[in-house]
Amino acid sequence: ISLLAKNDLLIIDELGYLPMSRQSRYNLFQLVNSLYEYRSIILTTNKDFTDWGEFFHNDNVAIPIVDRIIHHSHIFMLGGESYRLKEKLTN
């Protein structure tokens, strides 16, 4: 975690796509907590914040992570068709 926390920007792509072990969820919380207000995070996910309790298997963990992520953040909600699927259908 300390090595990742030294970077000015951390990109976490497709959070929630694959299940995480309890230790992984704990490590993610520790990482987000160490970056909070000191470094930048770009995070992509297809999960609504309201579903993070299910993803983390515990609202007591999800709420503090979401709180730290959304504080000082810019949230971009993207929608629409998959560009991968669209490209596949046109070829």
Side-chain angles (χ1 to χ4, degrees):
I1 292 175
S2 62
L3 182 62
L4 290 173
K6 291 179 182 180
N7 294 295
D8 291 331
L9 172 64
L10 181 68
I11 300 172
I12 303 171
D13 190 29
E14 295 192 22
L15 181 65
Y17 177 70
L18 296 173
M20 294 174 68
S21 69
R22 183 176 183 193
Q23 183 64 46
S24 296
R25 294 188 303 266
Y26 172 80
N27 290 343
L28 178 63
F29 174 79
Q30 293 299 321
L31 178 61
V32 168
N33 194 50
S34 68
L35 296 171
Y36 176 61
E37 292 196 332
Y38 297 103
R39 302 288 190 251
S40 297
I41 302 172
I42 294 175
L43 188 143
T44 68
T45 183
N46 64 350
K47 305 284 185 193
D48 289 332
F49 289 127
T50 56
D51 296 332
W52 282 36
E54 179 183 319
F55 170 70
F56 283 103
H57 304 284
N58 186 337
D59 281 338
N60 294 331
V61 175
I63 291 169
I65 290 177
V66 170
D67 184 57
R68 285 163 178 81
I69 289 172
I70 65 174
H71 188 230
H72 303 301
S73 71
H74 300 278
I75 298 173
F76 300 94
M77 302 292 288
L78 305 176
E81 296 179 23
S82 167
Y83 71 90
R84 292 180 187 103
L85 180 59
K86 185 177 178 181
E87 183 179 295
K88 179 72 174 171
L89 294 174
T90 59
N91 289 334

